[in-house]
């Protein structure tokens, strides 16, 4: 009588090869197997993380101007990595996940810590709670965005509006007290308490259902407006380089002022903002 174990042993080499091949594929591709064009956008994302973390270090060293500049530079890098990926046709699931993790650091943790070291620490526990609330709000905002992006059904307004203030804009807004402080206003305890309330307000705007104009729908500029648009961009960049903190403060205030107008524009186009239709994966969603 033939031994079953001998039969299994005879078949084991091929089975072992298949098993090893499956195990190897489950671990993902080797570095040498990844095309260079796929590595470029991910490298930009890593550089953005380095810039955000460097901003935190500079804040602890009381080099606040460089700290804010590094956070803003991280936001710039984060804004171009996706475009570079689409330009090179190098989008991937790995890149999407990497970008989300970078966003939490660059738009959540880094601005919160820079603001806390610069000013909120003078409000003691109140300032730290405000910084925590903001960082958590950024995480919730990004999770909602990822959930909405994965849904197969898209509403017409999603190409024109965000649900709540986007994380990059939130980082720019929450640093407004730092811009004002760098302009010469001494950060005292009263100012720190006001900044704490302001930080919580920005956190609320991030996770709110407020329709915020995204600017993505206008892909073309009329010919007669091309030259004026270029001049406006040049003027803005020139003032940003010359009067950095004044320009950033005006930009943040102008963005806040524009929010009610964006919501009003949405209401005129699509009617009232329906309850439970924010698409954020929170209780009240239609799913």
């Amino acid at each position: 009588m033939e031994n079953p174990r001998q039969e299994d042993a005879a078949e084991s080499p091929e089975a072992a090869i298949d098993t090893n091949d499956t195990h190897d594929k489950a671990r993902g591709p080797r570095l040498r197997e990844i095309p260079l064009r796929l590595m470029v956008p991910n490298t930009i994302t890593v550089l953005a993380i380095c810039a955000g973390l460097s901003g935190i270090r500079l804040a602890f060293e009381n080099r606040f101007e460089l700290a804010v500049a590094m956070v803003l530079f991280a936001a710039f890098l984060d804004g171009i990595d996706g475009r570079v990926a689409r330009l090179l046709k190098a989008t991937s699931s790995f890149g999407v996940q990497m970008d989300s993790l970078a966003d939490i650091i660059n738009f959540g943790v880094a601005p919160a810590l820079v603001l806390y070291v610069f000013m909120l620490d003078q409000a003691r526990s109140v300032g730290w709670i405000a910084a925590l609330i903001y960082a958590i709000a950024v995480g919730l905002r990004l999770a909602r965005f990822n959930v909405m992006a994965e849904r197969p059904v898209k509403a017409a307004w999603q190409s024109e509006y965000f649900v709540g203030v986007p994380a990059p804009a939130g980082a720019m807004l929450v640093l407004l007290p730092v811009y004002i402080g760098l302009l010469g206003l001494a950060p005292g305890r009263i100012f720190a308490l006001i900044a704490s309330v302001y930080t919580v307000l920005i956190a609320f705007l991030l996770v709110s259902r407020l329709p915020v104009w995204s600017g993505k729908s206008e892909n073309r500029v009329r010919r007669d407006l091309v030259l004026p648009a270029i001049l406006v961009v040049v003027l803005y960049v020139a003032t940003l380089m010359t009067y950095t903190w004044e320009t950033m403060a005006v930009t943040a205030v102008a963005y806040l002022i524009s929010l009610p107008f964006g919501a009003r524009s949405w209401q005129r186009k699509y009617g009232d903002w329906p309850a439970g239709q924010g698409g954020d994966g929170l209780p009240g969603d239609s799913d």
Side-chain angles (χ1 to χ4, degrees):
M1 183 175 180
E2 188 176 357
N3 190 346
R5 294 185 178 180
Q6 293 179 355
E7 183 179 354
D8 292 341
E11 298 177 358
S12 61
E14 294 182 359
I17 293 174
D18 293 339
T19 302
N20 291 335
D21 186 59
T22 301
H23 289 337
D24 189 59
K25 289 181 178 179
R27 294 169 61 186
R30 295 181 176 88
L31 184 61
R32 65 175 180 271
E33 298 174 347
I34 302 176
L36 180 62
R37 62 184 177 84
L38 291 178
M39 298 179 63
V40 172
N42 292 324
T43 302
I44 296 176
T45 303
V46 171
L47 291 177
I49 296 174
C50 294
L53 294 176
S54 297
I56 296 174
R57 175 194 172 184
L58 291 169
F60 282 109
E61 294 176 354
N62 294 326
R63 300 160 67 184
F64 294 108
E65 292 191 4
L66 286 177
V68 176
M70 291 302 291
V71 173
L72 297 177
F73 181 60
F76 169 76
L77 291 177
D78 185 87
I80 67 173
D81 60 357
R83 290 172 174 81
V84 170
R86 289 188 291 271
L87 181 64
L88 298 177
K89 297 182 179 180
T91 56
S92 63
S93 298
F94 178 86
V96 172
Q97 299 301 323
M98 189 71 181
D99 188 64
S100 294
L101 295 175
D103 289 349
I104 293 177
I105 295 175
N106 297 332
F107 303 139
V109 177
L113 289 179
V114 170
L115 180 59
Y116 178 78
V117 175
F118 182 79
M119 180 181 302
L120 297 186
D121 60 336
Q122 298 189 41
R124 306 291 183 177
S125 298
V126 174
W128 179 245
I129 291 172
L132 284 178
I133 291 175
Y134 171 79
I136 293 172
V138 171
L140 294 174
R141 174 69 180 81
L142 293 170
R144 177 172 66 185
F145 179 83
N146 291 340
V147 169
M148 293 180 65
E150 292 175 356
R151 290 184 173 177
V153 179
K154 304 291 184 181
W157 55 263
Q158 286 183 263
S159 63
E160 302 177 56
Y161 295 89
F162 293 119
V163 181
V165 171
M172 183 267 296
L173 292 174
V174 82
L175 291 174
L176 177 59
V178 181
Y179 310 148
I180 297 175
L182 292 175
L183 288 174
L185 181 60
R189 180 172 174 79
I190 300 299
F191 192 13
L193 290 172
I194 296 173
S196 299
V197 175
Y198 172 78
T199 302
V200 174
L201 173 63
I202 299 302
F204 172 76
L205 291 176
L206 285 165
V207 299
S208 70
R209 296 178 182 272
L210 180 72
V212 178
W213 183 61
S214 66
K216 295 180 179 180
S217 60
E218 299 295 334
N219 296 323
R220 296 182 180 179
V221 179
R222 285 166 36 190
R223 286 189 176 183
D224 58 326
L225 296 179
V226 171
L227 292 180
I230 293 176
L231 290 177
V232 169
V233 172
V234 171
L235 177 62
Y236 181 81
V237 173
T239 55
L240 183 62
M241 299 298 294
T242 308
Y243 305 102
T244 303
W245 309 123
E246 293 89 344
T247 304
M248 290 305 304
V250 171
T251 302
V253 172
Y255 189 92
L256 288 172
I257 294 174
S258 72
L259 294 179
F261 294 98
R264 180 62 178 171
S265 175
W266 192 98
Q267 188 179 32
R268 289 178 177 177
K269 288 183 179 181
Y270 303 103
D272 293 332
W273 190 252
Q277 297 295 325
D280 53 6
L282 300 176
D285 259 357
S286 58
D287 283 358

